[in-house]
Amino acid sequence: MLLAATMKTFTLDVEYECDFALFGLVSSTRDYTLAWALNRALRLRLVKQPELLLNLLSHGRLVFTHYLYATETLTFRLLRNRSIAPSTLKKPFLAPDMKEYDYLLAVSNGSGALADDALLQQLMALDVVQYACQFDPNSLKYKENFTI
């Protein structure tokens, strides 16, 4: 006598809510040069952090450079969008739906001179930035990649 066992499959759906402003930057410069330019222009102190690692089960891992400036009221994260480690993926990006952008800048609680519109103007004025654009992080398909 043979018994057939049935197993139920459960899927966990998690909805992430992003509470930061996100800017895409096009810049052919090195990450440390861009961080230095942002530090000078915005009076920040972005500091290099350990690389951000995304382990993808069947595709290996992606590695992204990461700079951080944080106070009690303000946080800036500068992230390289393309993985610095070799990958077999066609799109080895932190935000594959924003692959045109070399860097991503996430800003939490910006106000005054660092409010979204004013900040976008300051980013566009930098010599090392060819183009900058603001995005709604909640509209991104891979927004869970930003939950650091």
Side-chain angles (χ1 to χ4, degrees):
M1 184 163 135
L2 196 61
L3 294 175
T6 59
M7 247 177 137
K8 289 186 177 184
T9 303
F10 294 100
T11 304
L12 178 62
D13 289 327
V14 178
E15 190 63 35
Y16 294 99
E17 188 65 32
C18 299
D19 62 346
F20 55 86
L22 182 65
F23 299 88
L25 306 174
V26 175
S27 177
S28 58
T29 190
R30 301 271 188 178
D31 50 48
Y32 54 84
T33 306
L34 180 57
W36 179 80
L38 288 169
N39 284 342
R40 280 190 57 206
L42 304 176
R43 295 189 174 128
L44 302 175
R45 193 170 184 321
L46 286 165
V47 177
K48 188 166 178 98
Q49 303 296 305
E51 278 82 16
L52 175 64
L53 302 174
L54 288 180
N55 287 313
L56 306 174
L57 297 176
S58 60
H59 300 290
R61 69 180 196 172
L62 299 177
V63 181
F64 304 96
T65 54
H66 174 215
Y67 290 79
L68 175 68
Y69 170 78
T71 66
E72 290 180 12
T73 59
L74 180 67
T75 302
F76 272 75
R77 290 186 191 280
L78 176 64
L79 300 149
R80 185 174 181 88
N81 194 23
R82 187 178 192 89
S83 178
I84 58 173
S87 174
T88 58
L89 288 174
K90 283 184 185 177
K91 299 178 183 178
F93 297 97
L94 181 63
D97 33 1
M98 294 174 59
K99 66 179 187 256
E100 303 83 16
Y101 296 89
D102 302 304
Y103 297 95
L104 305 171
L105 183 65
V107 182
S108 298
N109 299 324
S111 63
L114 297 176
D116 298 350
D117 293 335
L119 179 58
L120 184 58
Q121 294 302 318
Q122 289 178 299
L123 294 172
M124 290 291 292
L126 293 173
D127 290 338
V128 295
V129 174
Q130 283 80 43
Y131 183 73
C133 186
Q134 184 175 2
F135 292 90
D136 176 9
N138 291 306
S139 68
L140 298 177
K141 184 176 179 182
Y142 298 96
K143 64 184 172 187
E144 68 274 1
N145 290 354
F146 294 101
T147 56
I148 301 172

